[in-house]
Amino acid sequence: MKRLAFFILFFIFITAQASFAKAPKKIDTQPTVVAPVVTLPSPAEVESMARETLNKKEWQIYVTLIGNSRAKPHSDTLTFYGSKVSSKRFTAKGYVESNYTIRTQPDGTPTWETTQKNEKEEIVFWKGELRGEEMMGVFSYQPKKGPNEDFSFTTLAPTINLKKP
């Protein structure tokens, strides 16, 4: 008799547990959305696009002497064609056009650089960065005698009057 009572209580316990159990969650059958795969251009493609952008126009730049807050900016024009670059201001001072190289920075930004010389063996080192249709950079003028002068440049017009060339 004890066994029968035990089995009846056990059966009631199991039935009660089953009636209080939660219904299984319904699985959402909506389709999975897959994010699009974005492929970045290779460095060679970035460099080709940068060369194309540089070659399509003359670049009006605004130059400021680094380290002299009172110096007024002056303007210059850079011309890129093929693999060469020239500066209107430095061409007038006897500097010849020079080959430039383009490199792609880790963040995908194309940069260009070149070195120009004149017959007096004075040197100008240029380094620029291209961001869409804007450019910024620095150059260092190294005369045969006297101290070097470092400049920054940008294609964004300054808000103050320019120094006359």
Side-chain angles (χ1 to χ4, degrees):
M1 181 80 161
K2 286 184 181 181
R3 280 188 181 181
L4 182 59
F6 174 76
F7 282 117
I8 292 174
L9 284 173
F10 182 72
F11 180 74
I12 293 172
F13 178 74
I14 295 295
T15 307
Q17 289 294 331
S19 65
F20 291 114
K22 293 182 179 178
K25 288 186 178 179
K26 186 178 178 181
I27 298 174
D28 192 6
T29 58
Q30 291 182 2
T32 305
V33 177
V34 178
V37 176
V38 176
T39 55
L40 298 175
S42 70
E45 291 170 320
V46 170
E47 292 163 17
S48 176
M49 290 185 293
R51 193 171 301 279
E52 211 174 280
T53 299
L54 290 170
N55 287 329
K56 73 180 180 182
K57 67 179 184 177
E58 288 187 338
W59 295 81
Q60 179 78 31
I61 61 171
Y62 303 96
V63 179
T64 305
L65 180 62
I66 296 174
N68 185 342
S69 60
R70 294 184 303 185
K72 283 189 174 183
H74 64 272
S75 64
D76 194 359
T77 303
L78 296 177
T79 305
F80 295 83
Y81 47 97
S83 61
K84 298 196 178 289
V85 62
S86 67
S87 154
K88 204 175 262 189
R89 185 176 281 264
F90 283 104
T91 297
K93 295 179 180 182
Y95 288 82
V96 294
E97 64 190 19
S98 60
N99 288 325
Y100 67 94
T101 57
I102 297 179
R103 291 190 175 80
T104 304
Q105 298 303 308
D107 68 354
T109 302
T111 61
W112 62 271
E113 52 188 57
T114 191
T115 302
Q116 292 182 296
K117 292 182 180 180
N118 65 9
E119 58 195 33
K120 298 177 195 173
E121 294 298 313
E122 296 175 317
I123 299 172
V124 179
F125 292 106
W126 292 85
K127 183 167 185 168
E129 183 176 288
L130 193 59
R131 298 234 180 217
E133 294 292 320
E134 302 298 332
M135 184 189 311
M136 63 196 72
V138 294
F139 68 88
S140 181
Y141 167 65
Q142 299 181 354
K144 198 72 166 169
K145 295 179 182 179
N148 295 348
E149 293 180 315
D150 297 320
F151 298 85
S152 65
F153 66 90
T154 180
T155 55
L156 299 173
T159 57
I160 60 174
N161 294 332
L162 294 176
K163 182 178 173 181
K164 301 288 184 196

